[in-house]
Amino acid sequence: MPVRHADRPATKPQFSAAELRELHEKGTEILKHLESRGLYKPLGSYRAQPEDGKVTYGEGYPITAFEKFLGYWKKDANLAFSPSISMVTDFSVVRCFCRYVREPGRDKVFLDGESNERYDKRARKALDNFRSITGITGSFEFTIERVKRYDKAKGLGESAAVAAATARALIANVFGEDAAHDDIFVSRFARFASGSGTRSAAGGMSIWIAFPEIEESQSYACRLDVDTSNFHFAVFPDFHNIQTMDAHGIASSSPFYPTWVINKYDRILKLIKSGPKIEDLMRNAQEDMFFLRSLLTSGGVIIDTERSIKLINAVKSFQQSGGNIFMTADTGPSIVVMSTDEGELKRFIATQSAKPLYGKIPQSVNYSPDPKAAHTASAFLESLR
Amino acid sequence: MPVRHADRPATKPQFSAAELRELHEKGTEILKHLESRGLYKPLGSYRAQPEDGKVTYGEGYPITAFEKFLGYWKKDANLAFSPSISMVTDFSVVRCFCRYVREPGRDKVFLDGESNERYDKRARKALDNFRSITGITGSFEFTIERVKRYDKAKGLGESAAVAAATARALIANVFGEDAAHDDIFVSRFARFASGSGTRSAAGGMSIWIAFPEIEESQSYACRLDVDTSNFHFAVFPDFHNIQTMDAHGIASSSPFYPTWVINKYDRILKLIKSGPKIEDLMRNAQEDMFFLRSLLTSGGVIIDTERSIKLINAVKSFQQSGGNIFMTADTGPSIVVMSTDEGELKRFIATQSAKPLYGKIPQSVNYSPDPKAAHTASAFLESLR
């Protein structure tokens, strides 16, 4: 359980060969179009020069997705089945220090001061990919600190922030500061830690290029040229008690997954070709929020709470009476409300008893750490010897 | 809003001509198979002999669907896009008196003692279909009484009971008692009042035959030969505050609707061919419960409440730990739990603080009214002159 369609394999999405070819062609078309507009660029070339004991810094922001990502074409390299679009937000920030150790087999992650097996496992997989690409044989130790503006929430894109921060610290460590400033370069490696981390590393409003039969080295995110000067948003943080949820697996095994993926390519292609506008992105994000919930529900998983359902219905009522706002959400009950009209957004928020968190799209991460934090992290990592 | 896919018409499901042909062929195969097993039979032939002022009686039970129905191939004749399967339950019963009036334009419905415009409108549409088929020109007045074993709930199939009761009273009035005892004959006409009423009129566990390009006169329900002797069920009644919801319209305009329909034919065909078993029906019903919710969610409608989500998750946990029960639900948050093992069902129910209503599949409706109720109804209808 959940009960599955008898004739459908439980894990692999069912696309015909013709459909896979179509997705490859449309994915390539999206890539080429972004390339011709100077947004998608070839990967930079940097020399790996790891130094035993060197400690470096990286930051990452969480993401809120407009075109959501669910399901892998190739799980081992974290290659998604479709492109996806998101923005970074300042709802939290992740600060990471990375120390290189020449000795193999010593990868280790400390999350908010404590060792964490789940993160260790995730890091090992990502680092194994990194090592096989770069030829490096040593280990990496990370300290990760999450600074949140909210108390408890699901669906605020934190894991993207962790992936981006660790990838940036890692790239700074192995390839140096120039590489760490190259968002696209960092983005490719953030992908190994978390799909959505790929977009977080690119910053701003970005698209992650992925499709069936893409070369691994081509799959990274680049910023989109979207005017967000009149864009305003806020989130109502919420949480649920679903302990473990393999959202990617559940979505991929839905009979509705292929339709969702195929439609997503068409929507993204249309958006990119017409020059992406924030109004279209918001509309798509609201639609895709319900599609994502629909895919999970088809597998028996309902991620909403009484609070989020009430909020969703309130937004719909507000829209039905002409209110110019949109909403979106990821795989949790936290709901983001947004508008190109700040007054409208505030007018809606005033109707709610819960108080949301206003957000901004951060322009850039900090590339240098706070000196005191750097000293503490170095001392901590040194104490592990 | 809800926001829809830009490239997709909002009301008409998008099937290719080849898909429609396939559905017609598979629907015909289901019909032929049931016919060869002696379950689906040709419509009986009865002579219409309406008498001015005659009052007749009909009853109907609500339904719980195993293979749900959403979306019309032809809305004007209430012809569904796919076959559907349900059982009648004793969660409520509807009692209806019907009086024929020779004078045209006097159709009228009294629901629980009060006139009701929504029911008037619905009855007029159904009666117009009935008159165009039978050539009758007079009017029909109905009193409808709903006797519920619960207080307030959505998704318990009441409208099916109303349709079946009114259709039976109408058939008794125009075609006589023999016709009113012919479930299949009543079923065809119940369809004009409510799709699910088609199955309610057939009684027991029944299948309603409908598919693209079916003849109107072929679309009715017949009982299925399913052994339900070890089948036990109960419902947790619940309600939501969604005022009006066009579930058929929302589902039909989902990009996932065609896949849902196509899979449904395959599932029903497989079930019918192998000799339908209650275990398979229960498994399909649980799966289809989530598919139905998925279709509605894709259109922005979440029908669950905090209570129903908790209950759904409790059933899933019970199943994951090996408990032999299943659940299903229609377009409301009321959840039916069921099992072929009464002990297991009771063991699950004991884990819940809410107390459900145990149900039975009624063997038959009463064809004769309680004499006192008949007297009251006749006097009331007479008072309208």
Side-chain angles (χ1 to χ4, degrees):
Chain A
M1 335 266 164
V3 182
R4 295 244 61 82
H5 193 301
D7 300 329
R8 161 169 274 275
T11 48
K12 193 73 191 164
Q14 282 199 322
F15 291 87
S16 68
E19 282 169 343
L20 287 174
R21 262 196 311 279
E22 188 193 323
L23 298 187
H24 177 79
E25 280 161 21
K26 286 185 176 164
T28 306
E29 197 181 342
I30 292 167
L31 186 157
K32 295 285 176 204
H33 195 86
L34 292 167
E35 199 168 35
S36 74
R37 296 241 305 278
L39 299 168
Y40 180 92
K41 291 172 195 156
L43 275 187
S45 182
Y46 302 94
R47 202 163 65 86
Q49 40 195 354
E51 280 173 47
D52 193 33
K54 184 175 170 186
V55 175
T56 48
Y57 180 70
E59 272 186 14
Y61 286 111
I63 56 98
T64 293
F66 289 75
E67 285 288 347
K68 327 280 181 196
F69 142 60
L70 277 177
Y72 294 96
W73 168 60
K74 266 198 180 164
K75 179 74 195 86
D76 54 355
N78 273 13
L79 291 167
F81 229 105
S82 73
S84 48
I85 297 174
S86 62
M87 64 176 171
V88 286
T89 77
D90 63 350
F91 296 141
S92 66
V93 61
V94 169
R95 295 174 183 149
C96 174
F97 289 92
C98 170
R99 177 189 159 117
Y100 177 65
V101 189
R102 198 194 321 255
E103 199 183 329
R106 296 192 52 144
D107 297 336
K108 189 74 197 140
V109 177
F110 296 90
L111 180 69
D112 299 329
E114 291 178 14
S115 71
N116 183 306
E117 279 193 29
R118 198 163 70 84
Y119 274 77
D120 277 349
K121 210 180 138 193
R122 199 161 186 163
R124 211 171 305 122
K125 183 196 152 193
L127 289 168
D128 285 346
N129 268 303
F130 181 75
R131 280 184 286 252
S132 83
I133 288 171
T134 58
I136 288 169
T137 55
S139 308
F140 297 91
E141 295 163 350
F142 296 92
T143 65
I144 301 170
E145 183 199 6
R146 294 179 296 188
V147 185
K148 302 179 201 175
R149 292 174 55 208
Y150 48 87
D151 190 31
K152 197 177 174 187
K154 291 236 181 170
L156 284 187
E158 278 174 30
S159 66
V162 170
T166 50
R168 201 174 298 273
L170 173 71
I171 294 301
N173 203 304
V174 172
F175 293 100
E177 283 305 318
D178 283 356
H181 278 70
D182 183 342
D183 292 338
I184 280 182
F185 190 78
V186 175
S187 166
R188 174 202 182 183
F189 291 106
R191 196 190 74 230
F192 292 118
S194 150
S196 52
T198 318
R199 286 180 262 101
S200 170
M205 179 78 77
S206 74
I207 181 167
W208 167 25
I209 304 295
F211 49 81
E213 303 301 333
I214 192 173
E215 292 288 326
E216 181 283 316
S217 60
Q218 289 188 304
S219 185
Y220 44 83
C222 64
R223 291 206 187 191
L224 283 173
D225 48 349
V226 184
D227 180 3
T228 54
S229 54
N230 287 319
F231 178 62
H232 307 275
F233 64 97
V235 68
F236 290 88
D238 195 1
F239 59 94
H240 56 53
N241 290 319
I242 304 174
Q243 285 304 314
T244 52
M245 171 175 63
D246 172 18
H248 294 286
I250 296 164
S252 304
S253 42
S254 168
F256 305 144
Y257 183 74
T259 301
W260 179 67
V261 168
I262 291 166
N263 285 356
K264 182 176 283 293
Y265 277 80
D266 293 340
R267 220 162 43 217
I268 293 180
L269 205 45
K270 192 173 165 184
L271 182 93
I272 298 291
K273 281 184 168 177
S274 64
K277 282 171 200 65
I278 190 67
E279 289 80 3
D280 297 330
L281 278 163
M282 286 193 294
R283 187 170 289 109
N284 291 359
Q286 178 167 327
E287 188 179 61
D288 214 22
M289 158 189 172
F290 288 115
F291 289 163
L292 181 150
R293 278 164 157 65
S294 174
L295 290 174
L296 296 178
T297 299
S298 73
V301 175
I302 300 168
I303 55 174
D304 278 301
T305 64
E306 194 174 22
R307 289 180 298 274
S308 66
I309 293 172
K310 261 192 190 162
L311 186 56
I312 288 167
N313 290 332
V315 171
K316 284 173 59 186
S317 296
F318 193 80
Q319 292 176 327
Q320 269 148 12
S321 62
N324 172 29
I325 65 164
F326 291 92
M327 63 181 147
T328 198
D330 290 335
T331 54
S334 301
I335 308 288
V336 170
V337 290
M338 51 196 166
S339 181
T340 48
D341 182 333
E342 194 173 8
E344 282 286 89
L345 190 65
K346 286 191 168 157
R347 196 161 68 83
F348 170 76
I349 286 168
T351 66
Q352 298 299 301
S353 57
K355 286 298 145 236
L357 210 58
Y358 282 91
K360 279 205 171 62
I361 304 180
Q363 288 312 301
S364 170
V365 291
N366 289 316
Y367 294 95
S368 308
D370 171 74
K372 208 176 133 196
H375 183 77
T376 310
S378 291
F380 174 75
L381 290 167
E382 190 56 38
S383 74
L384 303 174
R385 303 299 90 217
Chain B
M1 337 261 163
V3 182
R4 297 244 60 81
H5 193 301
D7 299 332
R8 159 170 276 274
T11 49
K12 192 75 192 165
Q14 282 200 323
F15 290 87
S16 68
E19 282 168 344
L20 287 174
R21 264 197 309 280
E22 188 193 323
L23 297 187
H24 177 79
E25 281 161 21
K26 285 184 176 164
T28 306
E29 196 180 343
I30 291 167
L31 187 159
K32 295 283 175 206
H33 195 86
L34 292 166
E35 198 169 35
S36 74
R37 297 241 307 278
L39 298 168
Y40 180 92
K41 290 172 195 155
L43 274 187
S45 184
Y46 303 94
R47 201 162 64 85
Q49 39 195 355
E51 280 171 47
D52 193 34
K54 185 174 169 188
V55 175
T56 48
Y57 180 71
E59 274 186 13
Y61 286 112
I63 56 98
T64 292
F66 289 75
E67 284 288 348
K68 327 277 179 198
F69 142 60
L70 276 177
Y72 294 96
W73 168 60
K74 267 197 181 166
K75 180 71 194 87
D76 54 355
N78 272 13
L79 291 167
F81 229 105
S82 73
S84 48
I85 298 174
S86 62
M87 64 177 173
V88 285
T89 77
D90 63 350
F91 296 140
S92 67
V93 62
V94 169
R95 295 171 184 152
C96 174
F97 290 92
C98 170
R99 175 188 160 116
Y100 178 65
V101 189
R102 200 195 317 254
E103 198 183 329
R106 296 190 51 142
D107 299 335
K108 189 74 197 137
V109 176
F110 295 89
L111 179 69
D112 299 330
E114 291 178 16
S115 70
N116 182 307
E117 278 193 28
R118 198 164 69 85
Y119 275 77
D120 277 348
K121 208 180 140 194
R122 200 161 185 160
R124 210 169 309 122
K125 184 197 151 190
L127 289 168
D128 285 344
N129 268 302
F130 181 75
R131 280 184 285 253
S132 83
I133 289 172
T134 58
I136 288 168
T137 55
S139 308
F140 297 91
E141 295 163 349
F142 297 92
T143 65
I144 300 171
E145 182 199 7
R146 293 179 296 187
V147 185
K148 303 179 201 178
R149 294 174 52 209
Y150 49 87
D151 190 33
K152 196 177 175 187
K154 292 237 178 167
L156 284 186
E158 277 173 32
S159 66
V162 170
T166 48
R168 202 174 298 273
L170 174 71
I171 294 302
N173 203 304
V174 172
F175 293 102
E177 284 304 321
D178 282 358
H181 279 70
D182 184 341
D183 292 337
I184 280 182
F185 190 78
V186 175
S187 164
R188 176 204 181 184
F189 291 106
R191 196 190 75 229
F192 292 117
S194 149
S196 52
T198 319
R199 287 181 261 102
S200 170
M205 179 79 75
S206 73
I207 181 168
W208 168 26
I209 304 295
F211 49 82
E213 303 300 333
I214 192 173
E215 292 287 325
E216 181 285 313
S217 60
Q218 289 188 305
S219 185
Y220 44 83
C222 65
R223 291 206 187 193
L224 283 173
D225 48 350
V226 184
D227 180 2
T228 54
S229 54
N230 287 318
F231 177 61
H232 307 274
F233 65 97
V235 70
F236 290 88
D238 195 1
F239 60 93
H240 55 54
N241 290 319
I242 303 175
Q243 285 304 315
T244 52
M245 170 176 63
D246 172 20
H248 294 285
I250 296 165
S252 304
S253 42
S254 168
F256 305 144
Y257 183 74
T259 302
W260 180 67
V261 168
I262 291 167
N263 285 356
K264 182 175 283 294
Y265 277 80
D266 292 340
R267 221 162 43 216
I268 293 180
L269 204 47
K270 191 174 165 183
L271 183 94
I272 300 291
K273 281 186 166 175
S274 64
K277 282 170 201 69
I278 190 67
E279 288 82 1
D280 296 331
L281 278 163
M282 287 192 294
R283 187 169 289 109
N284 292 359
Q286 178 167 327
E287 188 178 62
D288 214 22
M289 156 189 173
F290 288 115
F291 287 163
L292 181 150
R293 277 164 157 65
S294 174
L295 290 174
L296 296 179
T297 300
S298 73
V301 175
I302 299 168
I303 55 175
D304 279 301
T305 64
E306 192 174 24
R307 290 180 297 273
S308 66
I309 293 172
K310 262 191 189 163
L311 186 56
I312 288 167
N313 289 333
V315 171
K316 284 173 62 186
S317 295
F318 193 81
Q319 292 176 326
Q320 269 148 11
S321 61
N324 171 29
I325 65 165
F326 290 92
M327 64 181 145
T328 198
D330 290 337
T331 54
S334 300
I335 309 287
V336 170
V337 290
M338 51 196 167
S339 180
T340 48
D341 183 332
E342 195 173 8
E344 282 286 88
L345 190 65
K346 287 190 166 157
R347 196 161 69 83
F348 171 75
I349 285 168
T351 66
Q352 298 299 301
S353 56
K355 286 299 147 235
L357 210 58
Y358 282 92
K360 279 203 171 61
I361 303 180
Q363 289 312 300
S364 172
V365 290
N366 290 314
Y367 293 94
S368 309
D370 171 72
K372 208 175 132 197
H375 183 77
T376 310
S378 291
F380 174 74
L381 290 168
E382 191 54 41
S383 74
L384 302 176
R385 303 298 93 220

